[in-house]
Amino acid sequence: MAELSSKGFQETFVASGDLNTSQFRFVRLVGTDVYLADSGFADGVLQNIPLNNEHADVVMLGGTKISLSASLGPAIYIGCGSGGWAVQATGEGRRYGRLIVGATSGAYGVMYFSDIGSL
């Protein structure tokens, strides 16, 4: 399992819906509400396991663990896939950083979250 010595910049918002199975997945913010991201734009990575209307801790910049949808190695550009899973960013897709530590499908990798846009 990936280890991380310190997390990046983290803020607390309100979970909109049950996110207790979504730890370390990409999320979107609408005002102060947190939603699971879905294939595209993300504002950060969920750090805890909140239920509806509970506090949701979100890393918005810097080091974070991330849930991978496929086995990926280090230095791969990461994008947001369906269900907030981290996927390999390809083509013109949006990139949120590179993996520092890769992992197998369904496991946690480590990345530096930084919305670097499309390349």
Side-chain angles (χ1 to χ4, degrees), residues 55-110:
H55 293 283
D57 298 327
V58 179
V59 164
M60 303 178 72
L61 179 67
T64 181
K65 289 184 181 181
I66 189 76
S67 293
L68 302 175
S69 69
S71 298
L72 297 173
I76 300 293
Y77 280 112
I78 295 297
C80 176
S82 179
W85 292 94
V87 297
Q88 183 172 1
T90 58
E92 299 288 323
R94 195 156 195 94
R95 289 159 170 80
Y96 293 101
R98 285 188 185 201
L99 277 180
I100 297 167
V101 177
T104 58
S105 177
Y108 302 134
V110 174

Side-chain angles (χ1 to χ4, degrees), residues 12-82:
T12 301
F13 301 94
V14 177
S16 186
D18 186 357
L19 299 177
N20 73 333
T21 60
S22 304
Q23 186 178 30
F24 304 125
R25 289 203 227 167
F26 287 113
V27 292
R28 291 197 67 177
L29 302 173
V30 178
T32 60
D33 293 334
V34 175
Y35 297 87
L36 194 59
D38 194 21
S39 297
F41 188 76
D43 292 302
V45 177
L46 184 66
Q47 300 298 299
N48 60 342
I49 51 173
L51 297 173
N52 189 38
N53 289 322
E54 290 184 345
H55 293 283
D57 298 327
V58 179
V59 164
M60 303 178 72
L61 179 67
T64 181
K65 289 184 181 181
I66 189 76
S67 293
L68 302 175
S69 69
S71 298
L72 297 173
I76 300 293
Y77 280 112
I78 295 297
C80 176
S82 179

